């Protein structure tokens, strides 16, 4: 299994506050700064010369029929926006955790090792299993092992299910799980985007980075809304695709609170799979909601060379970082 996401190790002591969102001018004053140079972009377009911090490419479909997944729960400092670090709770030291990919009928052989300071657990949305047996708390220094067989294809969320779940998700404990149908989908350029939120406050301990603001979480007021853990990283580093080629996007919404109204500016989705691939595909879709705790698979082709933003069309959320760019050449 090829990991899709690598979060750069950090030695940064973040003294930073949130990157200021685009400011609207006071009434009757002219704009003094140019907005993003792509319509609907909501963030300046960077360069494809360097890759984004988190590789968005989907891992290859599984070849083995037993998928061994061993995750260690670790506390780790991660980057959530340029110059903003966050003291996260993670699977494997990264946010989101590694993408898991299996095919219907495979056996997922899963081990969770808790290297952190409090109980954690694992909830696979693609599994049909008794939570009271499998999704139980694992104490610090302990581990759990269980197996399950994915029977429904689609794009799924996995997350820590330890109470309060909102806290464990907001602190970074989630990832995407792709279950391929027994008969493969047509070949395509495949990417994975996990949308999620960060609710931040500066810790009193200056050695610490940003950490969770529980009141902001309960008030549904995130500071950052991100794809794959970092605000506007794919606007800073657009994703190269080919003109006219089939693009398949696995979009999973970890939340913990905000629905993703997923949209690619300048494109229409030829097919959108809502779980249960391929029985329930919508055709000719401009925007589709990815529910919190859900995943959709989007297919499209970009008609001509150019830069195509992808966003949640809830534009306050795009302004807070849930925006990227597809660069078609
Ligand atoms: Cu947890």
């Amino acid at each position: 299994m090829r990991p899709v996401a690598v979060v750069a190790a950090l030695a940064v002591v973040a003294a930073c506050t949130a990157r200021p969102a685009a400011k609207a001018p006071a009434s009757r004053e002219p704009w003094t700064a140019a907005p993003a140079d792509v319509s609907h972009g909501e963030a300046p377009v960077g360069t494809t010369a360097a890759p984004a911090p988190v590789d968005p490419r989907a891992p290859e479909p599984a070849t083995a029929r037993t998928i061994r997944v061993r995750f260690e729960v670790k506390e780790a400092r991660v980057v959530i926006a340029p110059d903003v670090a966050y003291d996260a709770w993670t699977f494997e030291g990264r946010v989101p955790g590694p993408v898991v990919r299996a095919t219907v009928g495979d056996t997922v052989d899963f081990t969770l090792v808790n290297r952190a300071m409090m109980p954690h657990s694992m909830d696979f949305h693609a599994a049909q299993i008794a939570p009271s047996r499998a999704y139980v708390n694992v104490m610090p220094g302990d581990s759990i092992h269980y197996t399950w067989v994915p029977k429904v294809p689609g794009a799924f969320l996995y997350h820590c299910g330890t109470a309060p779940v909102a806290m464990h998700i907001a602190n970074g404990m989630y990832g995407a799980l792709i279950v391929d149908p027994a008969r493969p989908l047509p070949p395509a350029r495949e990417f994975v985007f996990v949308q999620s939120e960060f609710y931040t406050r500066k810790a009193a301990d200056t050695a610490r980075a940003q950490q969770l603001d529980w009141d902001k979480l309960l008030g549904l007021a995130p500071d950052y809304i991100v794809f794959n853990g970092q605000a506007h990283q794919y606007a800073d580093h657009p994703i190269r695709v080919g003109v006219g080629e089939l693009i398949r996007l696995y979009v999973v919404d970890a939340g913990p609170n905000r629905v993703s109204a997923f949209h690619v500016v300048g494109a229409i989705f030829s097919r959108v799979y809502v779980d249960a691939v391929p029985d329930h595909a919508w055709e000719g879709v401009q925007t589709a909601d990815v529910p919190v705790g859900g995943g959709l698979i989007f297919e499209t082709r970009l008609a001509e060379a150019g830069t195509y933003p992808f966003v949640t069309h809830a534009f306050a959320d795009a302004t807070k970082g849930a925006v990227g760019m597809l660069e078609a050449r």
Side-chain angles (χ1 to χ4, degrees), residues 48-321:
T48 57
V54 179
D55 187 347
R57 292 176 297 175
E60 297 294 325
T63 52
R65 295 283 68 91
T66 297
I67 312 300
R68 298 189 194 284
V69 180
R70 182 184 184 277
F71 282 173
E72 292 195 359
V73 176
K74 303 173 183 174
E75 292 164 13
R77 183 163 294 178
V78 300
V79 169
I80 60 171
D83 301 321
V84 181
Y86 185 92
D87 284 337
W89 303 347
T90 77
F91 294 114
E92 291 291 292
R94 63 183 75 165
V95 178
V99 175
V100 177
R101 190 160 190 173
T103 302
V104 165
D106 290 349
T107 296
V108 178
D109 183 291
F110 177 65
T111 303
L112 184 69
V113 180
N114 187 354
R115 304 281 188 210
M117 303 294 288
M118 67 177 64
H120 295 286
S121 58
M122 175 59 91
D123 172 346
F124 287 108
H125 280 201
Q128 296 170 85
I129 195 169
S132 55
R133 175 173 69 82
Y135 300 165
V136 295
N137 288 330
V138 179
M139 299 304 287
D142 204 352
S143 65
I144 191 172
H145 172 262
Y146 57 89
T147 62
W148 56 280
V149 177
K151 296 177 178 171
V152 176
F156 293 90
L157 176 69
Y158 68 75
H159 66 93
C160 178
T162 297
V165 176
M167 178 179 290
H168 288 250
I169 292 177
N171 269 331
M173 302 191 75
Y174 48 79
L177 167 63
I178 299 170
V179 179
D180 288 301
R183 190 173 71 182
L185 296 174
R189 288 286 298 281
E190 295 188 329
F191 302 99
V192 180
F193 299 126
V194 178
Q195 182 178 312
S196 65
E197 304 122 40
F198 287 99
Y199 304 80
T200 61
R201 68 180 171 87
K202 187 74 186 78
D205 177 354
T206 55
R208 299 199 62 185
Q210 298 288 322
Q211 58 183 214
L212 177 66
D213 187 316
W214 181 244
D215 290 334
K216 285 183 182 176
L217 188 156
L218 293 182
L220 310 180
D223 297 283
Y224 301 95
I225 303 178
V226 302
F227 291 123
N228 292 347
Q230 294 194 32
H232 52 77
Q233 62 175 314
Y234 306 118
D236 297 341
H237 303 278
I239 299 167
R240 289 276 295 275
V241 298
V243 174
E245 75 173 334
L246 182 61
I247 300 165
R248 183 173 297 122
L249 308 175
Y250 297 87
V251 182
V252 170
D253 191 339
N257 296 315
R258 301 288 302 163
V259 171
S260 180
F262 193 76
H263 176 74
V264 176
V265 181
I268 291 177
F269 300 117
S270 51
R271 293 174 76 86
V272 177
Y273 300 102
V274 185
D275 299 333
V277 174
D279 299 332
H280 303 291
W282 300 328
E283 296 185 349
V285 178
Q286 59 186 311
T287 301
D289 276 356
V290 184
V292 180
L296 273 62
I297 303 170
F298 298 82
E299 292 182 354
T300 192
R301 299 174 193 269
L302 305 183
E304 60 176 327
T307 304
Y308 296 71
F310 59 92
V311 295
T312 171
H313 218 283
F315 262 97
D317 297 355
T319 303
K320 291 179 177 179

